[in-house]
Amino acid sequence: MVYRIIRAGKSTISHLLKEKLKEFGRDVEILDGDVVRTNLCQDLGFSGQDSDITIQRIAFICKLLTRNGVAVISTAISPYREARDKARNEIGNFIEVYVKCPLEVCVERDVKGLYKKAFKGEIQSFTGVSHPYEEPRNPELTLETNKETVEESTNKIIKKLIGLGYLNTKEDVYSSEEESKIIKRLSGLGYIS
């Protein structure tokens, strides 16, 4: 998943999405951009090249997790199309979600004052201000967080995942009672112990 700029709503949507995916019985991991930078990319800054390397590292982790059945939500800002395309190819099971939000709304939401500092030049390479952002040409989904509630945006993602076959409907998921019966039956046949 790909998101736009700071305060567009990516973290809030991601956390609600994680909870909803768990209701479908999925193991879920969020790769938050700040957490990744702190733990995996301490050696990198915010230049274009460093941003690309950050996305490459995130894509690698996403690939490892997804091939083991974990649904991964990446909230990293990835300003360049080429880096996102490489991530798509690396991961395989990938959807691009464009969280679209006007800059002025993001500035209003910014309680930390990061945009204010970026406009003053106190923060360099700030995506959307002093650093470019290349909008996706054909994302699987676009969310307009200045027009939609978090619930509406999250439900759009769930619907898209079901439509693309990445997620079964809740009707397709066994209840715990049905699961117990299946496990008991398989155990009785000697397939599991």
Side-chain angles (χ1 to χ4, degrees):
M1 303 179 77
V2 176
Y3 296 96
R4 194 172 190 266
I5 54 180
I6 293 173
R7 303 292 174 246
K10 58 189 185 302
S11 293
T12 306
I13 293 169
S14 295
H15 287 284
L16 182 57
L17 178 60
K18 179 179 180 180
E19 295 310 311
K20 286 185 179 278
L21 288 172
K22 283 183 171 183
E23 291 174 12
F24 282 83
R26 295 299 304 265
D27 291 326
V28 185
E29 188 63 52
I30 296 176
L31 293 181
D32 178 82
D34 291 337
V35 173
V36 170
R37 283 196 173 274
T38 301
N39 295 288
L40 191 62
C41 301
Q42 296 169 337
D43 56 322
L44 301 173
F46 294 92
S47 69
Q49 184 180 9
D50 285 356
S51 291
D52 284 350
I53 294 170
T54 299
I55 297 305
Q56 287 173 8
R57 291 179 183 176
I58 290 171
F60 179 73
I61 299 297
C62 288
K63 182 176 87 174
L64 294 179
L65 290 170
T66 56
R67 79 178 181 198
N68 286 289
V70 179
V72 184
I73 305 166
S74 171
T75 64
I77 298 168
S78 52
Y80 302 109
R81 286 185 200 110
E82 186 177 344
R84 295 191 301 260
D85 289 343
K86 285 180 182 175
R88 178 186 294 274
N89 292 332
E90 173 84 13
I91 297 165
N93 292 332
F94 177 96
I95 74 164
E96 185 174 24
V97 177
Y98 175 33
V99 180
K100 186 176 182 180
C101 186
L103 181 61
E104 58 271 14
V105 174
C106 294
V107 172
E108 286 175 17
R109 293 175 179 172
D110 182 18
V111 293
K112 292 182 179 177
L114 297 174
Y115 278 101
K116 193 174 180 180
K117 289 180 181 178
F119 288 131
K120 288 181 180 177
E122 295 172 12
I123 299 176
Q124 301 299 313
S125 300
F126 195 87
T127 302
V129 176
S130 56
H131 198 78
Y133 178 83
E134 298 174 352
E135 292 187 5
R137 290 194 177 111
N138 296 302
E140 277 78 9
L141 189 62
T142 298
L143 307 174
E144 295 188 67
T145 59
N146 62 317
K147 298 176 182 174
E148 305 166 355
T149 66
V150 173
E151 185 82 20
E152 288 170 335
S153 294
T154 306
N155 287 339
K156 281 183 168 181
I157 298 171
I158 293 292
K159 187 176 178 181
K160 179 57 79 174
L161 290 170
I162 290 171
L164 293 172
Y166 287 118
L167 193 63
N168 293 326
T169 62
K170 285 188 178 180
E171 291 77 28
D172 296 333
V173 177
Y174 294 111
S175 69
S176 59
E177 185 177 309
E178 292 168 323
E179 187 177 312
S180 294
K181 286 181 182 178
I182 292 168
I183 290 171
K184 186 176 178 182
R185 176 89 173 125
L186 291 173
S187 181
L189 294 171
Y191 291 112
I192 57 175
S193 55

